[in-house]
Amino acid sequence: MDKLIVRGGNRLSGTIPISGAKNAALTLIPCALLTEEAVTLRNLPRLADIDGFQHLMTQFGVSHTIPGKRPEEFGRNVTLEAMRITSSVAPYDLVRKMRASILVLGPLLARTGEATVSLPGGCAIGNRPIDLHLKALEAFGAQIELAQGYVKASAPDSGLPGGDFDFPVVSVGATENAVMAAVLCNGTSVLRNAAREPEIVDLCNLLTAMGAEIEGVGTSELTIHGVKKLHGATYRVMPDRIEAGSYACAAAITGGEVMLQGADAGDMGSTLHALRNIGVEVETEKDGVKIAANGPLKAHNLTTAPFPGLATDMQAQLMSLLCKAEGTSILKETIFENRFMHVPELARMGADIETEGRTAIVRGPCELTGAEVMATDLRASMSLVIAGLAAQGETTVRRLYHLDRGYERLEEKLQLVGADIERVGDD
Ligand code: EPZ
């Protein structure tokens, strides 16, 4: 297994190209199941999770072609074609490797009238239930059965009638599954307290391009008028707002100045607001967002929340930045029950962080020193890299498979702006 060696102290300066959004791509790919025509997705990030999802899609008979692209370019275009669905079973050995596989449930059910998907199970940050996914599909008229670790969903012979569902808790994935099922229902469906993340807007934009009829896009109430068939489309995935926010923290912690090329400030409002409050200069430009940290960093309290609140996926990265801020910052994690696993690793680098339940108290500024650290989940891994960029000495980050799931060619992008970072084989 590879490891990253980060030698801290370099001030980052220059331009980082932002890739297509992982969490948008993971809900756009299964949309290909909803039509027998070709769906071409542009700007897909080259990530382990995207490869994994494409492999899963072949399980259902979906072909995918990847026209050649020069290797040095980021991203790639993929054409997916589900002319005929040859299986509606998503097996355990594929689903267990990537929880987002559960997002084939809604489209498979809508297209074929049935779907058998392994329960995804939990992960490091929480037990990640899917009860809301299932309740929404039941509200549309689906029959749901749980047996031998699988969800078996089936629709009436005449197809899913559709229906209304009020989400008791905002859920990105459950909203995505529900929308992908509703677009082919016989009637109209209304989702209330639906997630409003930009990735949901991206999903609705692709489905609309495929012929779906969706009202209220971008709001917490979505009205979906089912249509008989959807046609193919070509669609460019939105830029990754979490990748961009992560590199913004990396630039800021080094006192650097970096242009996040292709980032969309409109998707990053809460992160940019937090950075400004911490004393980071943020400028929105026509082709990206410029980050500069010339003055001292100031402590700031943060609470994660569903969009447009502060993204939980930015909590770990901002915590690393706040270790270098003057004063005490209180961070509250309201979305997942176990998303502070970066804390003990940051503490080994010299950070002064105390946790009480879902609250972390960060006392800064502290001198960070390089250490051997262990990544435990995707965003925790990134927070350790960010801390390493500002630490005295050398930080070794292991278990890079976490990072490779969410950050396209991370070390290359950081090298572009002067970071002393290299990937080496783990002896
Ligand atoms: C998506 O996960 C993202 N993943 C996560 O990003 C992100 O952290 C999360 O949304 C919140 O923004 C992808 O898009 C692939 P949820 P998801 O359903 O859909 C509870 C990353 O680092 N819940 O919005 O699984 C759940 O336990 C990843 O890129 C239920 O109770 O998140 C959590 O407390 C990590 N029942 C809360 O809702 C359900 O049926 C929000 O979860 C579903 C969720």
Side-chain angles (χ1 to χ4, degrees):
M1 272 193 282
D2 292 350
K3 62 187 176 186
L4 279 183
I5 311 275
V6 186
R7 294 175 193 91
N10 291 10
R11 181 182 172 279
L12 301 190
S13 164
T15 297
I16 294 182
I18 297 305
S19 296
K22 164 182 86 90
N23 288 351
L26 290 173
T27 190
L28 300 184
I29 291 171
C31 288
L33 294 165
L34 291 166
T35 175
E36 56 208 26
E37 298 181 17
V39 173
T40 296
L41 298 175
R42 298 178 49 236
N43 191 35
L44 279 182
R46 295 172 200 245
L47 293 170
D49 272 8
I50 303 301
D51 295 343
F53 214 118
Q54 279 169 210
H55 176 60
L56 174 65
M57 293 286 277
T58 58
Q59 180 72 25
F60 314 122
V62 178
S63 68
H64 61 274
T65 46
I66 304 174
K69 223 178 169 177
R70 290 194 301 280
E72 72 279 4
E73 286 181 341
F74 292 103
R76 66 182 162 203
N77 303 337
V78 178
T79 296
L80 299 153
E81 201 157 1
M83 211 118 65
R84 224 166 43 80
I85 304 285
T86 55
S87 162
S88 60
V89 178
Y92 172 69
D93 67 319
L94 293 181
V95 175
R96 71 184 174 82
K97 290 180 194 137
M98 192 190 52
R99 304 192 62 266
S101 311
I102 192 64
L103 294 175
V104 302
L105 180 62
L108 275 177
L109 177 64
R111 173 80 185 274
T112 69
E114 61 181 10
T116 303
V117 180
S118 166
L119 286 166
C123 75
I125 64 176
N127 73 15
R128 312 292 292 276
I130 60 161
D131 56 311
L132 299 178
H133 298 238
L134 306 182
K135 286 189 182 118
L137 296 178
E138 282 175 326
F140 295 165
Q143 194 82 33
I144 301 284
E145 186 203 334
L146 296 181
Q148 290 97 35
Y150 280 77
V151 176
K152 294 175 191 287
S154 55
D157 293 344
S158 54
L160 287 173
D164 295 0
F165 185 66
D166 292 23
F167 284 96
V169 168
V170 173
S171 163
V172 171
T175 301
E176 290 165 347
N177 248 329
V179 169
M180 289 189 282
V183 292
L184 288 180
C185 281
N186 294 330
T188 293
S189 304
V190 180
L191 297 173
R192 293 186 186 88
N193 198 26
R196 298 172 49 195
E197 270 65 28
E199 292 75 19
I200 306 275
V201 174
D202 227 30
L203 168 64
C204 292
N205 290 342
L206 168 60
L207 290 170
T208 303
M210 293 169 66
E213 292 174 21
I214 306 172
E215 293 165 24
V217 176
T219 74
S220 56
E221 180 164 321
L222 296 171
T223 300
I224 301 139
H225 305 285
V227 292
K228 279 266 166 288
K229 276 174 90 73
L230 291 176
H231 50 72
T234 293
Y235 188 77
R236 181 180 174 81
V237 178
M238 63 176 271
D240 195 316
R241 62 191 173 107
I242 306 299
E243 183 200 27
S246 303
Y247 288 127
C249 292
I253 203 170
T254 65
E257 181 164 330
V258 167
M259 174 64 172
L260 305 169
Q261 191 175 46
D264 181 342
D267 296 335
M268 303 173 64
S270 59
T271 297
L272 301 183
H273 181 67
L275 288 168
R276 286 191 176 103
N277 284 322
I278 295 169
V280 179
E281 286 163 43
V282 177
E283 270 172 59
T284 303
E285 316 244 331
K286 64 178 176 9
D287 61 344
V289 176
K290 184 179 257 182
I291 299 291
N294 302 314
L297 298 173
K298 297 172 290 186
H300 183 61
N301 296 340
L302 298 171
T303 300
T304 64
F307 192 89
L310 180 65
T312 171
D313 293 350
M314 279 303 307
Q315 178 255 111
Q317 302 91 304
L318 286 162
M319 186 186 288
S320 289
L321 179 60
L322 287 167
C323 291
K324 300 297 287 181
E326 286 166 18
T328 299
S329 306
I330 296 175
L331 283 82
K332 292 196 172 92
E333 172 55 65
T334 69
I335 306 292
F336 290 111
E337 60 267 34
N338 187 31
R339 205 166 196 179
F340 284 150
M341 283 169 302
H342 42 289
V343 170
E345 295 302 294
L346 289 172
R348 294 182 55 245
M349 297 176 71
D352 178 355
I353 308 171
E354 200 186 320
T355 57
E356 289 156 26
R358 292 193 181 195
T359 298
I361 301 161
V362 182
R363 292 185 178 84
C366 68
E367 276 313 309
L368 291 170
T369 53
E372 298 232 357
V373 290
M374 189 73 82
T376 47
D377 64 81
L378 170 56
R379 307 304 174 183
S381 317
M382 190 58 181
S383 77
L384 300 176
V385 172
I386 291 166
L389 291 168
Q392 299 287 325
E394 198 170 275
T395 297
T396 303
V397 183
R398 297 181 186 283
R399 291 192 187 169
L400 292 194
Y401 54 86
H402 289 300
L403 270 175
D404 292 341
R405 298 186 53 193
Y407 290 94
E408 182 177 18
R409 296 156 62 181
L410 168 87
E411 66 277 8
E412 285 177 54
K413 292 195 177 186
L414 284 171
Q415 287 162 358
L416 284 175
V417 288
D420 182 348
I421 181 171
E422 59 177 325
R423 178 184 289 250
V424 296
D426 201 354
D427 36 326

